[in-house]
Amino acid sequence: MSAKAIHEVTGKNLLNKFLQDEAVKNKYAVVTPGTDWSKLVAENPWLETEKLIVKPDQLIKRRGKLGLIKVNTDLSGVKEWLGNKLGRDFQVGRAVGKLKHFVIEPFVPHQQNEEFYVCIYSHRHGDTILFHHEGGVDIGDVDTKAVKMEVEVGNSTTLDSIKTKLLVKVQDGKKDVLARFIEGLYKVYVELYFTYLEINPLVVTGDKVYILDLAAKLDQCAEYLCKLQWGDIEFPPPYGRDALAEESYIADLDAKSGASLKLTILNKSGRIWTMVAGGGASVIYADTICDMGGASELANYGTQEKHPEGMCL
């Protein structure tokens, strides 16, 4: 299983297409440095009539804590806020990258007690569903707070099991709509080969469910199975690590070959460059270098498995 992160808008688009009526369909508009605002507004007229939220969509965690979300504004407010962010460098932890992929969505007014947290992730024995009745930016340590439901490989969920195992602390008036949503979400998760799917907050107002913030990963090895459902999927690099020309070249060779060819440049200025080997040997090389104190100088990680016929590397 090769778990690869996807853009938030990619995950929401997949849920738009494959969830039934369990949640309100997401509307969004993507902004990049080359965006034509006139065209964007013409294609998304709601930008001029609704209150908006804007945020970067570049695999950045805790965007609210970093001041990277603008809420309850209008289109002119969005443009003003993006003025000193779009295309600019921004540091997240030790990573520095350019903010170049933003998403604008309708702002959903709601109360704190209408925010929930749900997460599904896969592991060797099946899938785990996490749920907490108090979602939002201040949720804290999810692992200790959330209730868990284990779903073994080949099994599925039921409305009753979701209610009794996950929704014990949820108000009775919201249990049915939440249980129905989680059941539908898990079906899509399995059918589309997600490996990770986190929604925080998940908002329930009345009988309507809104997916506000989403983070997701797909099993890239399932691309041949899900090509029609996925469409053209982009797997963006981690924030602050845009693909180098050499990495893109190897990725292109990998896509055209029956062999497995991988190259990641970890540190262009590193002094320790490893020979390309099979997946097992490459892991041993990297682990040994790190164990001997050379992690900061490790320059690359690469693998070659099977012979790439008709190619010269």
Side-chain angles (χ1 to χ4, degrees):
M1 179 172 66
S2 176
K4 290 290 188 72
I6 57 177
H7 283 300
E8 180 176 3
V9 292
T10 303
K12 286 183 173 179
N13 184 49
L14 290 174
L15 296 186
N16 275 353
K17 289 195 294 185
F18 294 100
L19 279 178
Q20 300 302 314
D21 58 349
E22 294 93 345
V24 174
K25 302 297 182 186
N26 292 282
K27 295 189 291 187
Y28 56 82
V30 174
V31 178
T32 65
T35 292
D36 181 333
W37 283 97
S38 297
K39 182 179 179 181
L40 190 71
V41 171
E43 294 174 347
N44 303 277
W46 51 269
L47 289 171
E48 293 187 307
T49 60
E50 299 190 34
K51 287 295 185 180
L52 305 171
I53 175 173
V54 57
K55 55 192 174 182
D57 184 8
Q58 294 180 232
L59 312 185
I60 299 173
K61 296 181 178 180
R62 292 177 286 278
R63 291 170 292 187
K65 297 280 189 181
L66 294 169
L68 290 177
I69 299 179
K70 178 71 172 177
V71 302
N72 198 17
T73 187
D74 56 15
L75 186 58
S76 62
V78 167
K79 291 180 179 180
E80 181 181 354
W81 186 80
L82 287 174
N84 64 351
K85 293 180 175 60
L86 186 60
R88 304 290 183 89
D89 287 340
F90 189 87
Q91 184 169 353
V92 178
R94 293 193 296 175
V96 177
K98 287 191 182 299
L99 295 172
K100 57 186 180 180
H101 191 275
F102 286 80
V103 57
I104 308 172
E105 299 174 302
F107 174 69
V108 179
H110 61 276
Q111 303 299 317
Q112 175 67 40
N113 62 4
E114 295 175 319
E115 294 185 344
F116 301 91
Y117 173 92
V118 64
C119 177
I120 311 173
Y121 64 88
S122 300
H123 46 82
R124 175 183 292 242
H125 304 293
D127 302 316
T128 298
I129 304 176
L130 299 178
F131 180 85
H132 190 48
H133 64 287
E134 296 176 342
V137 294
D138 297 320
I139 188 171
D141 187 354
V142 173
D143 289 332
T144 58
K145 289 184 175 181
V147 290
K148 297 182 181 181
M149 177 177 175
E150 302 292 344
V151 186
E152 295 183 356
V153 174
N155 290 348
S156 59
T157 59
T158 65
L159 291 175
D160 287 341
S161 63
I162 292 170
K163 289 179 184 179
T164 56
K165 293 182 180 180
L166 296 179
L167 307 183
V168 177
K169 295 185 178 181
V170 174
Q171 300 172 11
D172 289 339
K174 289 182 166 57
K175 281 186 178 180
D176 286 342
V177 67
L178 272 170
R180 188 165 168 269
F181 171 78
I182 293 172
E183 182 185 47
L185 184 70
Y186 183 69
K187 287 179 181 177
V188 172
Y189 179 93
V190 173
E191 291 170 0
L192 296 187
Y193 286 82
F194 282 91
T195 62
Y196 181 85
L197 181 55
E198 179 187 56
I199 302 172
N200 182 41
L202 176 73
V203 168
V204 180
T205 60
D207 60 350
K208 293 183 178 180
V209 177
Y210 297 89
I211 299 168
L212 296 197
D213 281 3
L214 177 147
K217 296 179 182 180
L218 294 173
D219 182 357
Q220 190 182 22
C221 295
E223 189 166 6
Y224 76 100
L225 291 171
C226 299
K227 183 64 177 177
L228 290 177
Q229 295 98 316
W230 287 0
D232 294 326
I233 288 284
E234 177 188 357
F235 295 103
Y239 181 73
R241 262 215 75 248
D242 291 340
L244 300 174
E246 294 81 0
E247 294 173 313
S248 297
Y249 175 70
I250 296 300
D252 184 58
L253 289 180
D254 181 51
K256 297 175 181 177
S257 169
S260 177
L261 308 170
K262 310 295 180 189
L263 175 65
T264 300
I265 305 300
L266 302 172
N267 178 7
K268 290 190 293 184
S269 302
R271 297 185 301 154
I272 304 173
W273 293 78
T274 61
M275 297 286 288
V276 173
S282 294
V283 171
I284 292 172
Y285 292 164
D287 283 350
T288 302
I289 292 167
C290 293
D291 286 344
M292 296 180 70
S296 63
E297 294 290 349
L298 182 58
N300 72 305
Y301 177 81
T303 66
Q304 175 188 337
E305 299 185 50
K306 298 198 296 186
H307 180 66
E309 296 181 7
M311 295 181 181
C312 295
L313 298 182

